[in-house]
Amino acid sequence: MAVTMADITKLRKMSGAGMMDCKKALTESDGDIEKAMEIIRKKGQAIAAKRSDRDAAEGCVLAKKDGEFAAIIALKCETDFVAKNEDFIALTQAILDAAVANKCKTLDEVKALPMGKGTVQDAVTDRSGITGEKMELDGYNVVEGAYTTVYNHMGKNQLCTIAAFNKESEEAAHNIAMQIAAASPEYVRREEVPEHVLERERHIARQQAINDGKPEKILDKIVEGRIEKFYKEVCLMEQVYIKDNDLTVDKYLTSKIAKIGENISIRRFARFVVGEGIEKKESNLAEEVAAMQGGQN
């Protein structure tokens, strides 16, 4: 059966694959559109399997809120070229929209959502077949609270944060979301730091002090000093506030509470950076966020 341009165009619109890939699939399927779609999907699966050991260090991360629910997700790929592709970004947004609309709590729930003629995971596999790159979903996290906020850093789709609060305070919520982006805290308060993490830090601090030749009688004092410093680094409320280095985040919120006469508390937050922990060339996004604060209040 001869493959017509109309069929090729139809398949291209359905799959997003290139013209030649569509023509080959239709030829192989003897003009059957459904079978041709399956051929394209299998191509994506084959590419995903072949590249399973490759690092997906690039990608697109987006965040979105819907009332009391906010989510963050990343679609990862291998190259910056693909990460900046409009269709790739649109797919990431479509997946996030579906996840938020369905209030998905886990990444597995997101992957199983219907999309097109398959699932979200099928859509990712199809896109992998089109681009020839390994792709995977990552970084999915949600927060819920009386008020939620999101921060997408400078429209670069590389760094996003989400946070939940006990009540609405748009200005404070936005500033805290930017703080999380710039300073990368791990916990809201020191009470949330697990004991095994503290024990690890104490062990490291003690060993460093011993290696530096510090006397035994002051080791405990040195260790506890290091733990206090650790709290200030990883606990959001104890970090130096990026817009005013004379304040901590806790003191900043206290000043806001005094002005509005209502308590504001942070319930939970999440942060994701594309490629974090993977060696690759990139600008310092945290420094960019901090630099944006110059002259702002």
Side-chain angles (χ1 to χ4, degrees):
M1 177 179 176
V3 176
T4 67
M5 183 54 69
D7 287 339
I8 294 172
T9 302
K10 181 178 179 180
L11 181 59
R12 189 170 187 271
K13 287 181 179 179
M14 290 173 60
S15 67
M19 296 289 282
M20 289 305 299
D21 286 332
C22 290
K23 182 178 180 180
K24 289 177 182 178
L26 284 165
T27 300
E28 187 178 336
S29 67
D30 199 25
D32 188 309
I33 294 285
E34 294 299 323
K35 288 182 179 179
M37 276 292 296
E38 185 63 25
I39 289 169
I40 289 173
R41 180 162 293 138
K42 286 180 178 179
K43 179 186 175 185
Q45 292 169 344
I47 287 172
K50 183 178 180 180
R51 300 202 168 202
S52 61
D53 61 341
R54 297 283 292 272
D55 285 332
E58 299 289 348
C60 173
V61 56
L62 297 172
K64 181 180 181 178
K65 61 174 284 185
D66 181 11
E68 299 178 355
F69 185 91
I72 190 170
I73 197 167
L75 180 57
K76 295 165 66 178
C77 59
E78 295 180 46
T79 66
D80 182 57
F81 176 78
V82 168
K84 292 180 178 179
N85 179 272
E86 290 184 4
D87 289 338
F88 183 84
I89 296 170
L91 176 59
T92 309
Q93 186 66 62
I95 293 170
L96 177 62
D97 290 345
V100 172
N102 287 276
K103 301 293 187 292
C104 294
K105 300 296 181 65
T106 69
L107 187 56
D108 284 341
E109 289 179 22
V110 177
K111 290 178 179 179
L113 288 173
M115 180 165 283
K117 293 194 175 182
T119 64
V120 163
Q121 184 57 58
D122 291 333
V124 173
T125 300
D126 292 348
R127 178 56 49 180
S128 179
I130 293 165
T131 64
E133 290 196 9
K134 174 185 177 181
M135 293 183 185
E136 60 186 5
L137 289 168
D138 193 15
Y140 186 69
N141 214 321
V142 304
V143 297
E144 295 181 272
Y147 183 76
T148 60
T149 191
V150 305
Y151 174 70
N152 293 290
H153 176 56
M154 293 176 63
K156 291 187 175 183
N157 304 328
Q158 295 285 292
L159 166 62
C160 292
T161 64
I162 53 177
F165 300 79
N166 65 320
K167 61 181 56 185
E168 180 177 355
S169 179
E170 185 175 351
E171 180 184 357
H174 177 71
N175 288 336
I176 294 302
M178 294 189 77
Q179 172 80 27
I180 294 164
S184 189
E186 297 178 38
Y187 311 95
V188 177
R189 301 167 187 82
R190 65 169 60 192
E191 292 79 14
E192 297 174 8
V193 182
E195 186 58 35
H196 75 271
V197 172
L198 293 176
E199 285 303 312
R200 180 197 66 203
E201 292 300 315
R202 290 190 181 102
H203 175 75
I204 292 172
R206 180 174 292 273
Q207 194 59 53
Q208 288 176 339
I210 291 172
N211 293 343
D212 290 341
K214 302 298 183 183
E216 178 70 29
K217 62 182 180 181
I218 65 169
L219 287 182
D220 288 345
K221 185 176 181 180
I222 291 174
V223 169
E224 289 313 306
R226 176 65 186 91
I227 293 301
E228 285 299 313
K229 182 180 179 182
F230 176 72
Y231 283 137
K232 290 177 172 60
E233 292 171 351
V234 302
C235 297
L236 175 62
M237 299 300 287
E238 301 191 32
Q239 288 183 335
V240 174
Y241 180 45
I242 59 173
K243 285 192 173 185
D244 186 343
N245 291 343
D246 291 330
L247 299 176
T248 61
V249 172
D250 184 47
K251 289 181 179 179
Y252 163 69
L253 279 182
T254 298
S255 69
K256 283 295 179 183
I257 291 169
K259 287 182 180 180
I260 65 177
E262 294 184 342
N263 186 46
I264 306 168
S265 65
I266 305 162
R267 295 291 173 84
R268 189 167 179 266
F269 68 84
R271 176 182 185 272
F272 192 87
V273 180
V274 170
E276 194 164 64
I278 299 176
E279 185 176 349
K280 72 187 193 88
K281 294 180 180 179
E282 62 179 351
S283 59
N284 190 318
L285 293 170
E287 288 182 3
E288 287 182 15
V289 176
M292 288 173 61
Q293 308 314 306
Q296 296 182 22
N297 292 309

